[in-house]
Amino acid sequence: VQLQASGGGLVQAGGSLRLSCAASGRPFRTYAMGWFRQAPGKEREFVAAISWYGGSTYYADSVKGRFTISRDSAKNTVYLQMNSLKPEDTAVYYCAASIIEPLSDYLSPKAYEYDYWGQGTQVTVSS
């Protein structure tokens, strides 16, 4: 699986960005997708995940109500819509794919349970 993340940039606090992650190399339905982020000097942390068919989602408490994860199976793409951005959201954002059992709804916040990773896209929120 190859993952290509895009959409990062510089935005003022309170603004919005939408990240995209295009996937290729394996049927899109065979993996759950997640977004993680890593700020300078900090460990990588879970942001959001979505099941293979998009019916189940899971968010970190820090982004719940502000971020929305979605996926478009026709485009093999997962999105992260980020609203009401805060300076503490500044980080490199990574998309990741977790190969799942057929029809599984399992979603994990643990980075080690994801099998493939994109290259990361920088999000900077100014105060």
Side-chain angles (χ1 to χ4, degrees):
V1 176
Q2 292 79 45
L3 303 174
Q4 182 70 39
S6 61
L10 173 64
V11 64
Q12 288 189 327
S16 299
L17 281 174
R18 188 177 80 156
L19 305 183
S20 300
C21 178
S24 62
R26 185 182 175 104
F28 198 47
R29 67 183 181 280
T30 62
Y31 41 94
M33 296 293 296
W35 285 96
F36 290 75
R37 65 188 182 187
Q38 187 166 19
K42 295 188 176 181
E43 293 188 354
R44 190 170 298 191
E45 66 172 357
F46 170 75
V47 175
I50 188 166
S51 61
W52 66 274
Y53 66 101
S56 296
T57 56
Y58 182 14
Y59 295 94
D61 288 343
S62 59
V63 306
K64 204 172 292 184
R66 300 188 297 124
F67 291 11
T68 302
I69 189 171
S70 62
R71 65 192 290 165
D72 185 336
S73 295
K75 297 181 179 180
N76 285 1
T77 300
V78 64
Y79 302 98
L80 185 68
Q81 177 67 43
M82 304 185 295
N83 298 329
S84 302
L85 282 161
K86 305 175 181 179
E88 51 264 44
D89 294 318
T90 295
V92 177
Y93 282 69
Y94 299 90
C95 60
S98 174
I99 306 301
I100 58 167
E101 293 295 319
L103 306 182
S104 171
D105 265 354
Y106 178 70
L107 295 175
S108 173
K110 299 180 175 64
Y112 68 83
E113 294 198 85
Y114 287 78
D115 303 286
Y116 301 95
W117 292 82
Q119 84 288 3
T121 184
Q122 176 70 47
V123 172
T124 303
V125 184
S126 63
S127 56

